[in-house]
Amino acid sequence: MKVGVLGLQGAVREHVRALGRLGVETRVVKTVSAFDSLDGLILPGGESTTMSLLAQGGLLEELRRLSAAGFPMFGTCAGMILLANEIAGRKEPILGGIDIAVARNASGRQVDSFETVLEVEGIGSDVPAVFIRAPYVTRVGPSVRVLARHQGVAVMARQGKMLVASFHPELTEDLRIHRYFVGMI
Ligand code: GLN
């Protein structure tokens, strides 16, 4: 199995390291040809607007094609924004693929970064989670399964082989969420 990490910007190395610790072969993806023989893709946290601009052209089209085709993808934080079907203040999704609506940077400046422990369905009740200027999920469609909530708000969800988290599992030493994604592929 080989899992790609979208390498345009953001927490790329940390995801590569987490997958490596699980013994999964990885490849940093920056071009369309780098998708060859990949089994899944992680879209890291960073800046969703910057990533969408850097992906303009063929790469964006290929990412859209793959997400529409049900290719296994895991978006964390900005990656979740890329995969959301609706983004507050935008007419179109960036890639789309999971039936949720998100608002960017909705947690406000004072609490814009924090660490907590979450109960995640199918994983455990003590999963560490780092939130950094996290997107806020404002709607969850009927075919989306919410796997974790924080203060009542969905922070991790799945639809088919698409997984999203508004936090950063790659910034902790806990590998369970990456293992869960690899298990979905
Ligand atoms: N707020 C960022 C965005 O809008 C996401 C933050 C993150 O990925 N840590 O893209």
Side-chain angles (χ1 to χ4, degrees):
M1 181 195 297
K2 194 180 283 180
V3 176
V5 179
L6 186 65
L8 299 173
Q9 187 262 340
V12 180
R13 264 177 309 173
E14 292 82 354
H15 278 295
V16 169
R17 181 169 166 269
L19 291 168
R21 287 177 62 210
L22 286 174
V24 176
E25 210 183 316
T26 65
R27 182 192 294 149
V28 175
V29 173
K30 294 183 185 185
T31 58
V32 172
S33 58
F35 282 107
D36 221 37
S37 72
L38 282 186
D39 302 296
L41 181 72
I42 293 182
L43 300 97
E47 255 304 320
S48 51
T49 309
T50 309
M51 279 190 238
S52 67
L53 293 173
L54 291 171
Q56 279 305 327
L59 187 55
L60 203 59
E61 287 315 308
E62 181 65 2
L63 287 164
R64 285 187 182 133
R65 192 187 68 73
L66 289 168
S67 77
F71 188 74
M73 292 193 186
F74 177 25
T76 61
C77 203
M80 177 197 225
I81 298 171
L82 298 185
L83 293 176
N85 279 0
E86 265 181 67
I87 304 168
R90 270 184 73 108
K91 282 207 185 79
E92 302 284 332
I94 297 173
L95 303 177
I98 186 161
D99 189 20
I100 58 170
V102 298
R104 296 180 57 208
N105 305 331
S107 50
R109 288 208 169 268
Q110 291 84 350
V111 289
D112 68 5
S113 301
F114 60 96
E115 227 177 307
T116 189
V117 171
L118 299 172
E119 177 164 0
V120 183
E121 186 185 304
I123 296 184
S125 55
D126 57 348
V127 180
V130 178
F131 288 81
I132 303 169
R133 299 178 65 221
Y136 193 84
V137 177
T138 55
R139 184 185 66 78
V140 175
S143 41
V144 176
R145 185 158 188 93
V146 174
L147 301 178
R149 293 181 187 274
H150 178 67
Q151 294 177 349
V153 177
V155 292
M156 185 169 163
R158 172 178 180 173
Q159 181 178 8
K161 290 194 182 292
M162 193 153 288
L163 183 67
V164 292
S166 56
F167 54 92
H168 292 263
E170 77 285 7
L171 300 184
T172 73
E173 293 300 308
D174 196 303
L175 295 171
R176 284 177 290 174
I177 292 181
H178 285 84
R179 187 177 293 122
Y180 179 91
F181 175 59
V182 169
M184 282 168 49
I185 297 176

